[in-house]
Each structure stands twice: as C-alpha cells, then as structure tokens.
Amino acid sequence: MKAVRAFALGVLLLGASRLEAQQYFGMNQVQYKHFKWRVLETEHFLVHYYPEEKQAVTSAARMAERSYARLSRVLGHQFREKKPIILFSSRADFGQNNVTGDLGEGVGGVTESQRHRLIMPFTGDLGSFEQVLAHEMVHEFQYDIFARGRAGANQQALERINPPLWFMEGMAEYLSIGPNHPLTAGWLRDAAVSGNIPTIKQMTERPDKYFPYRFGESFWQYVGERWGDAAVGEILRNTPAVGVERAFLRELGMPLTDVGAAWREAVQSQYLPAASLTQRPQTFAAPLLTHKKSGGEIFLAPVLSSDGNYIAFLSNGNEKRGELFIDLWLGNAKTGERIKRLIKSTLNPDFEELRLLYSQSAFSNDGRTLAFTAQRAGKDVLYLLDVASRKVTRRVDLPLDAVTAPSYSPDDRRIVFSGTLGGV
C-alpha cells in the first residue's frame, strides 16, 4: 500500500458527498458471488461475515475487542453504540462490496465517516490484518468523536474542519503500530539526509508529495514521546469543537507550527548523526529501474532470472501510448531498459488484477517460464507464461480464494505458493 501511495491517498478520508457517489456506483459492482451474510455480535461490534469465513471471524472479533480496549483508554473515549465491521475472505471478495465500490488493490481497508462501517478483507496474515484493523479502528474513534457517539451526526463539523490527512492517517498509523516502525524510520532518515522534512503547512497542502502515513506517523510519535499518548486523545477530542490548530494550542501550550518545527529538529537530531557514519546506496550501487531508464513512474515486485540477464516487474508505462495500468513487464537486468510487456492487466478478464502489493512472479531456473498469479472471475489463478513468446502455457485453477508468491523447485518440476481459503 505504501509503495503505491497515489492509489491509496484518494480514499483515506471519505466525505459525505463522495461517499454517496460511491454507494450509488457501488450498486453496479461486478458480483461473482452471492454472499450469505451472518452477524457475530460482541460487546462493542456487529461483525458481518459469510459462512466461508467462520473459522477466521472469531479471531477477528477478538482482535477488534482487543484494539477497542486499548484505544478507548488511550483516546479517553467509549462507544455508545455497536459499530458494524464487514469482513471479506479475500481481496477479490472485498472488491465486490457495494458499500464503497471497489477502491482498488492498493486499499487494505476503509471506514465510513457517516455510518461508521469498517470494511476490510482477510489477507491470510493475521499480523498485518490486525494492524490494518487497528488502523481502521482509530478512524472509528475519530469519526465517533466528531459524531458525539451517534453515527451520522455532526457531519457538518467533520466537513468544516476537514482534518488534514497527516492528522487522521498519521494518528491511525501511530496508534496501530506503535513508536518503533522501521519503515517510517527509513522514510524519515532519507528525508533528513536529503533536507526534505516537511513543515506542517507542506504536509497539509501537499499530501501527494509528503506521504501522510509516514510523516504523519512520525509527527504523532514525537507528540506521544514528548507529551504522552494521553495528549493525542485530548487533541482529538478537542478538535471537533475548536479545530486542529487550537486543539494543539489548548493541550500542548504551543502553536501547531512550533510543534512542527520542534518535530523537524528532533528528526534531524535523531537521524543525521547516524547517517553521517554510513554509506549511501549510490556509493556502492546504481538504480536499475527508473523513469529515465525504464519509463513509467511505479516499479513493484521485481524478480531476476537465474542468469541475471532479465528482470520481471510490475509497472505502468508510457502515458502517450495509453499504458496507464500496472502491467507485467520484462526488462534488461543490466541496463534497466524495458524489453516487452508480458501481461496486459485490468482490461483483460483473465488478468483483472496482478496482486501488485501481495505477490511476486518467479522465473523457472532455466529462465524460460514465468509463474505469476492474477485475479480471474473473482478469485486468484496461477499462470505459467512462456517468456519468449509471451503466451500463457498453463492456467492452474485452484480451490482457493487467494494465491500469492509462487516459487519453483530446483528441478522446475514443482511450484510452491501461499494460498488462503475463507481468510485462513
């Protein structure tokens, strides 16, 4: 999700008018399955699921209550009504929901600002699932605080104040991950070394440039370390009444711009001394897939052939040629130059999605065949492709919802992969 941040940014904060449009168009979603919904009721949630998920949903309900118990203490807020959680057994099923419409493969979950419905799929990895669930749970608290405990109320305040993405998403990341996050540390280290740590104004006005998940998480981490996590809850609870800037001033006794400046200094002090003692990548390595060398803007899931001559990767292409979607490409592993497109996705019913965030293709050891997974007819399929001819030589339909990460055995006679069924 992080690597394709442009896909996710558009759905981080769902306003009322936009959500109504999504609900309308969601009615026209392609439906591969008829979901027979059941409800598991817990102390604070109504967990909606279908029978295929029964084994996984009990664990999910426990995780939801565990997140609620922790966040209610940190944020100093309790729900007055039970919140709906809608769970899908796979990314393919999640894409069929008619609540928000298909938000794209880059979205791992979403929470509505009006009805407070939390919607997300299982991924088979309970660790990452629980983190995303906790992230969305923070949004439940944010919206419930604005709504004064009643879903759909006080929507005008949320729209009027319109909290910045670094405020909403950064808080959700910090409270779902905690203070030690290597991914965010890497982002902030690179920003410090390049002199590109944003101001509060820059984060607010340019979330497309300063990714709110990482920079916002770091900012809230600083607030939590300096003033305590209780201050995060106080700021959030004050925001609906007085706005973001006055909430910071009221709770911390400092203008928000000053808090931002102090955070920037803390980041520089933390990362610059260590960075001065290490080698930067360009001193011992050269970038291979770049816009200049390879064209396109996004490069994901690269895999090398065994002889090191070729590289398969997911990327968009030349806009003038209409290569707007993420497709599977073959490149020269020495120069980074694109050789040919192997699979055209999105508009091809055999390759609706390429699992760009969850999977990676695999060369056979002789380099002749490429194994990859793609969504077809609402489920994942394993494909084998002849690299020279670009033709699929075999389609393996499996009794599973999701299939990811194929890899060949040394003799090329077997393929191992990860799969999930019913979210497990």
Side-chain angles (χ1 to χ4, degrees):
M1 189 172 191
K2 284 71 176 178
V4 286
R5 60 183 184 272
F7 297 160
L9 281 174
V11 297
L12 298 179
L13 188 60
L14 296 177
S17 60
R18 179 172 182 182
L19 185 55
E20 289 169 2
Q22 288 175 332
Q23 288 172 328
Y24 172 79
F25 287 107
M27 295 177 184
N28 297 323
Q29 283 296 108
V30 175
Q31 296 292 315
Y32 296 106
K33 293 183 179 180
H34 177 69
F35 301 109
K36 298 178 180 179
W37 291 102
R38 307 285 188 270
V39 178
L40 174 63
E41 187 170 355
T42 70
E43 184 178 357
H44 299 98
F45 302 102
L46 298 173
V47 184
H48 298 254
Y49 70 100
Y50 38 97
E52 295 90 330
E53 303 175 287
K54 189 173 182 179
Q55 182 179 348
V57 75
T58 304
S59 296
R62 283 198 296 263
M63 292 177 186
E65 288 292 347
R66 184 162 60 200
S67 290
Y68 174 85
R70 179 175 60 85
L71 292 171
S72 64
R73 290 194 302 269
V74 172
L75 298 176
H77 181 79
Q78 291 79 40
F79 294 163
R80 298 179 185 174
E81 55 189 14
K82 294 188 178 185
K83 303 297 184 182
I85 297 176
I86 305 173
L87 296 176
F88 290 87
S89 67
S90 67
R91 155 61 204 153
D93 285 4
F94 176 59
Q96 298 173 53
N97 91 80
N98 61 3
V99 175
T100 64
D102 191 353
L103 299 175
E105 194 173 354
V107 177
V110 66
T111 302
E112 296 176 290
S113 63
Q114 285 185 312
R115 298 188 184 182
H116 297 184
R117 289 180 288 190
L118 191 165
I119 313 158
M120 62 181 292
F122 288 103
T123 62
D125 174 5
L126 291 182
S128 63
F129 173 84
E130 184 167 25
Q131 188 270 313
V132 176
L133 178 64
H135 176 107
E136 297 303 328
M137 192 71 65
V138 175
H139 291 323
E140 287 275 25
F141 276 90
Q142 291 169 337
Y143 295 145
D144 196 66
I145 287 171
F146 268 92
R148 299 169 184 164
R150 187 166 61 89
N154 206 29
Q155 190 75 19
Q156 298 86 347
L158 180 62
E159 295 176 1
R160 183 183 72 254
I161 293 172
N162 191 21
L165 291 178
W166 63 260
F167 182 99
M168 300 291 279
E169 298 299 336
M171 183 186 298
E173 283 289 272
Y174 171 58
L175 293 179
S176 63
I177 296 174
N180 300 310
H181 190 197
L183 178 61
T184 290
W187 275 68
L188 271 295
R189 178 201 62 218
D190 292 348
V193 170
S194 62
N196 200 31
I197 306 171
T199 63
I200 293 295
K201 182 179 180 181
Q202 288 172 322
M203 285 199 295
T204 300
E205 296 179 351
R206 293 296 307 274
D208 58 321
K209 184 176 181 180
Y210 302 104
F211 191 33
Y213 279 74
R214 303 282 71 85
F215 290 106
E217 179 190 355
S218 174
F219 176 80
W220 283 113
Q221 178 182 335
Y222 171 76
V223 171
E225 288 180 349
R226 181 169 174 180
W227 287 281
D229 286 345
V232 177
E234 288 285 350
I235 292 168
L236 176 59
R237 295 198 304 274
N238 278 297
T239 296
V242 301
V244 172
E245 293 191 10
R246 291 180 63 187
F248 273 89
L249 182 61
R250 175 181 290 185
E251 175 60 23
L252 306 183
M254 292 174 60
L256 178 56
T257 53
D258 290 353
V259 179
W263 163 67
R264 295 176 75 234
E265 288 184 15
V267 170
Q268 290 175 329
S269 299
Q270 180 178 358
Y271 293 110
L272 286 181
S276 66
L277 302 176
T278 59
Q279 286 181 284
R280 301 197 64 185
Q282 56 263 42
T283 64
F284 57 85
L288 179 62
L289 300 175
T290 67
H291 174 67
K292 185 176 181 180
K293 290 181 179 181
S294 317
E297 302 291 342
I298 297 170
F299 305 99
L300 299 168
V303 59
L304 286 170
S305 61
S306 57
D307 60 9
N309 290 325
Y310 299 102
I311 184 169
F313 59 97
L314 300 176
S315 178
N316 58 350
N318 189 318
E319 291 184 4
K320 295 180 180 179
R321 298 175 186 167
E323 298 166 345
L324 303 177
F325 301 112
I326 303 296
D327 297 326
L328 180 60
W329 296 81
L330 184 71
N332 185 316
K334 307 294 184 182
T335 65
E337 181 182 0
R338 291 185 195 228
I339 298 175
K340 56 187 175 182
R341 178 163 53 187
L342 298 174
I343 291 296
K344 187 176 182 180
S345 70
T346 309
L347 300 179
N348 188 324
D350 287 322
F351 317 113
E352 298 166 348
E353 292 182 346
L354 291 173
R355 294 293 166 263
L356 53 91
L357 295 184
Y358 305 105
S359 191
Q360 187 177 34
S361 57
F363 280 100
S364 59
N365 293 280
D366 61 15
R368 296 177 181 177
T369 306
L370 192 74
F372 68 97
T373 62
Q375 179 179 309
R376 179 182 184 273
K379 59 175 289 187
D380 285 358
V381 174
L382 175 65
Y383 289 95
L384 303 183
L385 177 139
D386 180 78
V387 176
S389 66
R390 292 187 289 180
K391 292 184 178 180
V392 172
T393 59
R394 187 175 181 187
R395 189 186 84 207
V396 185
D397 292 288
L398 298 159
L400 299 169
D401 297 324
V403 178
T404 56
S407 181
Y408 278 89
S409 63
D411 60 6
D412 283 340
R413 296 181 61 187
R414 293 176 175 84
I415 294 176
V416 66
F417 56 89
S418 296
T420 68
L421 183 64
V424 179

